[in-house]
Structures are given as C-alpha cells and as structure tokens.
Amino acid sequence: MATPTFDQLLEAGCHFGHLKRKWNPAMAPYIFMERNGIHIIDLYKTAAKIEEAANALRQIAKSGKKVLFVATKKQAKEAIAEKAASVNMPFVIERWPGGMLTNFPTIRKAVKKMTTIDKMAKDGTFDNLSKREKLQITRQRAKLEKNLGSIADLGRLPSALFVVDVMKEHIAVAEAKRLGIPVFAIVDTNSNPEDVDFVIPANDDASKSIEIILDAVCSAMAEGLEERKVEKADAPEDKEDGEAPAPGKRRRVRRNEERAAAPAAEVKEEVKEEVKE
C-alpha cells in the first residue's frame, strides 16, 4: 500500500481549506496556517491520517465485510463510483435515502421490488400488461435503479461508512453514529470532525484531492481482498482423509446405519418418538 507523499498531496490541492471566517474550531489541530484569509491544512497530518484509515479499511476488507461509500456532491460522484466498484463495494452517489441505515429492512424491500420487476420482464408477465402499466413499472424501475442500484448487493448493514464532505452527508453520518457504525471521512476546515471515527483532513471540494485519497484507501482495500483470497486458498481442508468424525457426527452416522437396517415400521415409530421429545 502506497501512502501519498507530501508533494503528491500538495500537487492535488489537498491543503486548501475554507475561508477563515467559515472555519470550525474543532479542526484547529489539523490547520497549519492561514494565508490570504484561507486556512491551510497540515499535509503531514493528512498523510498520517490517510495511512491510519487505509490500514483500518484494509482489515475490514480482509475480513470480508462491506464498506459503504457516500458522496452526492458533483466533484466526487464519478471518482466514488469508479473506485468503489473496483473493490466491489456498495456506494451512494445520488440522493441519500433517509433511513437507509436506521430503516434498512424497508430499503431492502425496495431493492427486492426492483428484482421482482426484472423477473416480470423475463418470465413474460410484461406481455400481459397494458401499455400504461408497462410505462409506469418501467419508470419505477428506472427510479429505483438510479437511487438503489449501487447497493443491490448489500444484503446487510455495512461495517463502515466512507464519506466525502460530512456537512453535506450529515444525515448518513448521524445514522451511522446512531447504529455504532464507524465513519471514515474526508473532513474540510469548515466541518465538525467529532462524529467521525477516522478523520482525513483535506480539501473535500477539489476532484483531484478526493481522487488521490480514494486511490490510497481503495488500493489498501484491494490488498485486503487479495490477502483474503490467498488465505482461503491456503487454508487446509476442514476434515482430512482418514480423520475420525466428531462425537456428534459418529452418533448421527450410527443412528442412520441402524435406521437403514431396521424395518420401515420401526423407523416410523422412532421418528414419532423423536418428534414427541
């Protein structure tokens, strides 16, 4: 995993904060200086925080858990969609659906509805519908795809959130905090880092700044996924040839053998007794 150097972060514009009058005092530890009324972020701390976040995300990916990437601002949409898809992680780049985490079962129902519509198109049910009904269902499917298509494979709550601009995505951060889900975020000088577990102080408005940070964390996650594959491939068989079965398994095998040898009537009586027990 290659952490971006100071010069690379500087070239990407990660050091530019917001105007001094818009700053959040909680970001003071990450601010290096003020120049021409603009706060300058300490890039040495940015590099250290990127490495810390990348290592944590690597472990999450290695354990086979999901990280949900969230960025609905224009500058980050394409980068989030590309990088998250490269490591097979879910992402939200359109409007954040309120209650997506705190009311997750309802969101899953909407995703299942999208799957049901796809089945209707395949099994010929569409052919029996009127033109108006087809149009309504098609529009509904397009809307669901736009808002929830990127999380269709998310069968359970994510293990972590990666957020670009915590002020814009404050609802997502609040829901994650309520459920105890760790939050990784790119935090600018006008934001409050107190609700974020892994703060990456950097410019969250420049596309180059966002991309260089995403490159670092996603490459770390890719390494974690590769390590997981290698461990699975190298893992020994659960049961080696010739190994004695577990005690519980021996009892089940013996019982099956006895049943095979017993008359059908006896087997029925035995089953009835087990059901009563």
Side-chain angles (χ1 to χ4, degrees), residues 64-204:
K65 298 175 182 176
K66 293 289 184 181
V67 177
L68 178 61
F69 288 78
V70 184
T72 58
K73 64 195 305 179
K74 186 178 179 181
Q75 303 94 313
K77 281 185 178 183
E78 291 185 8
I80 283 284
E82 180 185 349
K83 300 301 179 183
S86 67
V87 289
N88 196 28
M89 293 292 169
F91 57 90
V92 175
I93 58 173
E94 299 298 334
R95 183 185 67 86
W96 173 264
M100 180 173 171
L101 299 179
T102 53
N103 195 17
F104 190 70
T106 303
I107 298 296
R108 286 302 306 165
K109 286 180 183 177
V111 173
K112 287 180 180 178
K113 185 183 291 185
M114 189 168 60
T115 307
T116 304
I117 294 173
D118 290 340
K119 288 181 180 178
M120 289 172 62
K122 291 180 181 178
D123 62 15
T125 309
F126 255 30
D127 299 335
N128 301 326
L129 300 176
S130 65
K131 187 176 180 180
R132 183 179 178 181
E133 288 174 329
K134 287 180 182 178
L135 184 60
Q136 288 177 341
I137 293 175
T138 303
R139 285 177 178 172
Q140 185 182 26
R141 172 68 174 79
K143 186 177 180 181
L144 289 170
E145 177 65 33
K146 182 180 180 181
N147 294 325
L148 304 174
S150 57
I151 61 164
D153 297 331
L154 188 64
R156 58 192 300 179
L157 284 171
S159 297
L161 244 67
F162 188 96
V163 178
V164 177
D165 195 341
V166 293
M167 287 189 69
K168 187 173 179 62
E169 316 301 342
H170 64 279
I171 299 175
V173 174
E175 289 187 25
K177 183 181 178 183
R178 182 176 176 182
L179 296 174
I181 298 173
V183 178
F184 298 73
I186 300 176
V187 185
D188 213 329
T189 57
N190 66 334
S191 305
N192 184 5
E194 292 179 359
D195 294 335
V196 179
D197 300 281
F198 292 85
V199 178
I200 302 176
N203 182 357
D204 63 7

Side-chain angles (χ1 to χ4, degrees), residues 2-77:
T3 304
T5 63
F6 180 93
D7 292 335
Q8 289 173 332
L9 294 171
L10 186 67
E11 186 180 350
C14 295
H15 59 293
F16 289 117
H18 280 268
L19 293 172
K20 183 180 178 181
R21 58 186 172 84
K22 292 185 177 181
W23 82 309
N24 190 313
M27 284 296 291
Y30 306 107
I31 295 175
F32 175 66
M33 64 178 291
E34 178 260 327
R35 179 182 294 173
N36 299 328
I38 297 174
H39 276 130
I40 304 300
I41 297 169
D42 188 344
L43 292 182
Y44 287 111
K45 291 185 178 179
T46 300
K49 289 294 185 180
I50 289 174
E51 185 174 4
E52 180 185 346
N55 287 329
L57 288 169
R58 177 181 179 178
Q59 292 303 318
I60 292 173
K62 186 177 178 181
S63 62
K65 298 175 182 176
K66 293 289 184 181
V67 177
L68 178 61
F69 288 78
V70 184
T72 58
K73 64 195 305 179
K74 186 178 179 181
Q75 303 94 313
K77 281 185 178 183

Side-chain angles (χ1 to χ4, degrees), residues 190-222:
N190 66 334
S191 305
N192 184 5
E194 292 179 359
D195 294 335
V196 179
D197 300 281
F198 292 85
V199 178
I200 302 176
N203 182 357
D204 63 7
D205 294 313
S207 56
K208 287 185 179 180
S209 172
I210 295 168
E211 286 175 8
I212 194 171
I213 294 170
L214 284 175
D215 277 336
V217 298
C218 288
S219 63
M221 293 177 72

